[in-house]
Amino acid sequence: MDDLLSEFLTETAESLDVIDVELVRFESSPNDKNTLNNIFRLVHTIKGTCGFLGLPRLEAIAHAGETLLGKFRDGALDVTPDYVSLVLESIDQIKVLVAHLGEEGVEPDGDDRPIISRLEAAAEGRSEFSEAPAFKPAPVAVAAVAEPEPEPDDAGDPDLSGVPEGNGRWDADQGRYLRPGEVTLAELEAAFASVDGPPEVQNAQPTAPAGGSGGGAGVHDDDHEGRKGGPGPASIRVNVDVLESLMTMVSELVLTRNQLMQILRKAEDSEFKGPLQRLSSITAELQENVMKTRMQPIGSAWKKLPRIVRDASRDLGKKIELVMEGEQTELDRQVLELIKDPLTHMIRNSCDHGVEAPGDRLAAGKSEAGTIKLRAYHEGGHIIIEVGDDGAGLKTERIRQKAIEKGLVDPAEAHTMSDTQVHRMIFAPGFSTAAQVTNISGRGVGMDVVKTNVELIGGTIDLRAKQGEGTTFVIKIPLTLAIISALIVGAGEHRFAVPQLSVVELVRAGSRCEHKIEFIKNTRVLRLRDKLLPLVGLSDVLGLGDDGVDPGRADLNYIVVMQVGETRFGLIVDQVFDTEEIVVKPLSKRLGSMTQYSGATILGDGAVIMILDPNGVATSVASAAHAVRRVAKEERDAAHAGAGTQEQTSFLLFRAGGSEPRACPLSLITRLEDLDASTFEGTHRGPVVQYRGRLMPLVHPVGAHAMRSEGRQPVLVFSQGESVVGLAVEEILDIVEDRLDLQLSGQAPGVLGTAVLKNRSTEVIDLGYFLSQADPAWAEAAAGQRRKRQRVLLIDTHPFFRNMLAPLLKASSYDVEVASDLEEARARLAEGAFDAVLADTDALPDPEALQTELGAALQAPLIPMTSRQDAAYTALGPSVSKSDRHALLAALDQAIRVRGEAA
């Protein structure tokens, strides 16, 4: 019985998680019959199994919920958020009862009539279900005491006392009579086995057989569709402790393998070489397969997030859609458990702080509903998780001011920080910009907790934000915490392991090397590829004494270049040994305050060494990194001043119409494309191409005749506002950085002048000349001066003229609404304001009647139109011929301009 109950609890927990997700999905897509059928099947299976196991409270709630879901499925009720909220409340109560059942082995005492009554009222279409107070789970009561069981007498004859006549059954296995309604364990197992539960297929959503909405278990061999059941389970359940024990043994095997391989390296020729190499290969395969047993799809940690977003959006009065990508990305179960809470906090944070209220979004020109996007993918031995929203972004100045108020940064320094540096201040302990405390956020326990939890598993977190466009957090975490690749380094007489995930490269520095260590304002730095890299000695960080680094000595210094988040620094070590797969052993709680270490390991030679925590080491270099940034800025300022205040500019070099290179500032180019020339189309304005859902004009520096008609065509894409233009070239050569010093002025059209870039004379093109050829309005778009699109209402009873004039007006940059009669026109005018109204007057004897018919809703200038060639003058002004395109657009433009001047 205990085994059956344990199996029921496990499967029910899985089903409830799926129901949570499916209900939120069903609420947004009430016509999705497949989702509804899956929800119904899961609830029905829970109800039926509860009936067999004798769990009346669970069975009653599940039955009432199933009845309501059956009404949805039959089309008798329309799905509303209130109905879905009620079903979710019932699921929450089932979770409470299941949790108590798992702890005590029996259902708690209590009455579920309030929630059942509301479910029944909802199923009958009565409104009382929404009038009841919000449901709260009943308090858990102690387990009921089992009644004493009658035993057979000494003579061996059964004692029938207390057993109603005709209802007693003798159970030889238990040596007693069964009470009325009591079944044997064998009968219960047979009944339970006949019920199809959720298939235990790994990484698949649980499903269950369908059944009716009535009582009973719904024992069926096929589903609604009549399909026969498939093969048996593709996986089995294994206790987590067994997997952990297996992983521990494999870890010890890896250590033993490392020790044997260390011995083998010292022996030049050994008869054990072949077997040991085979053992090493088998161990690696075994390790990989055991690691797979610990791997789970990250989607299992996301199951509760749709419900969280749904509830938060209702509490906040917002419309939020959660989009999840990469749910099948796998990572270690231990890492998965540790990442759940940070993800939950970040999602709630995006709901509260990120996504704006519907009114604010509409005012900002966005859609009413906001989007939170959750994405996971593999990258170089890591799992990358991105949590982004299209909300208001981060308020840079507010964060800067709050950081100053809290004393986190000096005021003078704060105003020299870049926006990205300011944004990272939200990770400071206790930092919050919330105006008030809510049940979602604002308590001062925020992103610092997320950052701490991520770093505890050897991960990093960073963000990208743009005010008004949204914020994206990027989390990088290791695939597993059990076995990692590490670089073994030495400091003094000690060895340490550095996780390879944080190692960028190794550099040797010294008087005999290309790279040399320098001292700038008491800070050690390394000039690496024209950039200053702050340095810190491993002996200094760990307090092992002076590392004795002398920039002038002839000895070699080994520098491990490390990257932690956006911080890059060099770690000076005495020796670099080798890379090795190491088994991570957790530190004792007594060493928890030592932030420089993340664990310990045993090397192949049996030595126990400490594993460095890159995040802890990075804190030691923070002040040095800040000093280096100041020095680098001073050097840049000095270089600019010495060069006549001219800064370095990045140029794109290309060929177009000759063998000599031409150049264009790289900052002006939006994208570099390589397009299929066969997709180019000709128009009266020149060649165009369909590019990202719109037509992009194309221009070539030496003329349209130089444009390719087949093959691939390199194109430089420039975008300014709504204007997108492509500049076709022969070949893209290089990207260089140099000062713009035009030594010869341009003589030919389209040439600014000639400069020396990377020791070669290069023509710098006049980009404005070519853009004007392709799109005369590009300058207005670049300056943000292109006029706002005006709204025009077109009223015409003739379909032919509606279909002819609407595209004409849209092509002339007007937003057009169409009405086929006066009644439809009044409805359009009531929906929103228009800048002008074009109306057909042929159907009315008196054009002035239009104003009377349209009434007070008409707040825009009215332009009469006629299909006749002899356009007459009316009381509303001259009527415009529908066939005269130029006259129609001129009249429209004048009417809107006069209205604007009057306003």
Side-chain angles (χ1 to χ4, degrees), residues 651-681:
F651 294 93
L652 178 74
L653 301 184
F654 59 90
R655 284 194 310 102
S659 59
E660 296 301 318
R662 294 189 173 195
C664 173
L666 184 63
S667 60
L668 301 178
I669 303 173
T670 304
R671 294 179 65 87
L672 300 178
E673 296 285 2
D674 189 35
L675 304 179
D676 184 358
S678 64
T679 62
F680 298 169
E681 304 173 58

Side-chain angles (χ1 to χ4, degrees), residues 296-555:
Q296 285 185 297
I298 197 171
S300 62
W302 294 359
K303 288 182 179 178
K304 297 181 179 179
L305 298 182
R307 172 78 181 274
I308 290 173
V309 171
R310 186 255 184 196
D311 292 345
S313 61
R314 285 173 63 90
D315 293 342
L316 297 168
K318 300 178 179 180
K319 295 183 178 180
I320 306 174
E321 178 185 0
L322 178 64
V323 178
M324 298 187 291
E325 296 180 1
E327 297 170 77
Q328 297 304 317
T329 304
E330 292 188 334
L331 72 163
D332 191 286
R333 182 191 62 82
Q334 184 181 3
V335 179
L336 189 69
E337 290 297 323
L338 294 173
I339 202 65
K340 284 183 180 178
D341 288 342
L343 282 180
T344 301
H345 185 96
M346 294 172 71
I347 290 292
R348 293 171 65 89
N349 199 61
S350 292
C351 292
D352 195 12
H353 292 299
V355 178
E356 314 96 316
D360 296 336
R361 291 183 62 85
L362 290 175
K366 300 180 179 180
S367 61
E368 190 176 21
T371 301
I372 297 176
K373 188 172 184 180
L374 189 58
R375 180 171 175 244
Y377 56 93
H378 287 279
E379 184 180 272
H382 301 77
I383 293 290
I384 307 296
I385 303 175
E386 296 182 356
V387 182
D389 61 68
D390 63 347
L394 298 180
K395 298 178 175 62
T396 307
E397 293 307 317
R398 187 175 178 185
I399 296 174
R400 194 193 310 269
Q401 189 60 37
K402 199 75 174 180
I404 295 174
E405 292 175 5
K406 286 182 169 290
L408 299 175
V409 65
D410 182 77
E413 181 183 348
H415 292 289
T416 64
M417 296 172 66
S418 66
D419 288 353
T420 303
Q421 291 172 324
V422 173
H423 294 161
R424 293 196 185 109
M425 298 299 295
I426 67 172
F427 294 117
F431 188 90
S432 176
T433 59
Q436 59 183 0
V437 173
T438 68
N439 64 340
I440 294 181
S441 63
R443 293 177 172 82
V445 180
M447 296 308 299
D448 63 311
V449 177
V450 174
K451 183 173 184 287
T452 300
N453 289 346
V454 170
E455 290 179 350
L456 282 176
I457 56 177
T460 61
I461 182 171
D462 204 1
L463 59 87
R464 303 188 301 266
K466 191 170 183 180
Q467 192 161 341
E469 297 184 11
T471 306
T472 299
F473 291 91
V474 181
I475 301 175
K476 180 186 288 189
I477 54 178
L479 276 173
T480 178
L481 303 181
I483 299 177
I484 64 173
S485 295
L487 177 69
I488 311 301
V489 300
E493 299 178 354
H494 305 280
R495 286 180 291 175
F496 300 92
V498 182
Q500 273 196 288
L501 295 179
S502 301
V503 177
V504 179
E505 59 182 313
L506 296 175
V507 177
R508 293 200 297 180
S511 58
R512 295 174 294 172
C513 302
E514 176 186 357
H515 304 288
K516 299 177 177 60
I517 297 178
E518 305 175 28
F519 277 86
I520 300 179
K521 296 186 176 180
N522 298 323
T523 299
R524 284 178 293 192
V525 298
L526 181 73
R527 293 188 185 274
L528 186 63
R529 290 184 285 277
D530 297 328
K531 291 185 178 181
L532 292 177
L533 186 75
L535 300 179
V536 62
L538 180 56
S539 296
D540 291 341
V541 172
L542 303 181
L544 301 178
D546 184 14
D547 57 18
V549 175
D550 181 1
R553 74 179 188 174
D555 300 34

Side-chain angles (χ1 to χ4, degrees), residues 809-878:
L809 297 171
K810 289 179 181 178
S812 300
S813 300
Y814 291 102
D815 287 333
V816 183
E817 293 285 341
V818 178
S820 59
D821 53 39
L822 291 178
E823 183 179 353
E824 189 177 356
R826 280 193 293 270
R828 292 283 186 271
L829 290 169
E831 291 174 358
F834 288 87
D835 297 286
V837 177
L838 288 168
D840 175 27
T841 60
D842 291 343
L844 295 174
D846 181 8
E848 285 187 279
L850 276 171
Q851 291 182 318
T852 304
E853 291 289 337
L854 295 177
L858 182 62
Q859 301 293 328
L862 183 64
I863 303 172
M865 298 186 303
T866 179
S867 56
R868 299 190 301 269
Q869 292 295 329
D870 54 338
Y873 189 87
T874 69
L876 300 176

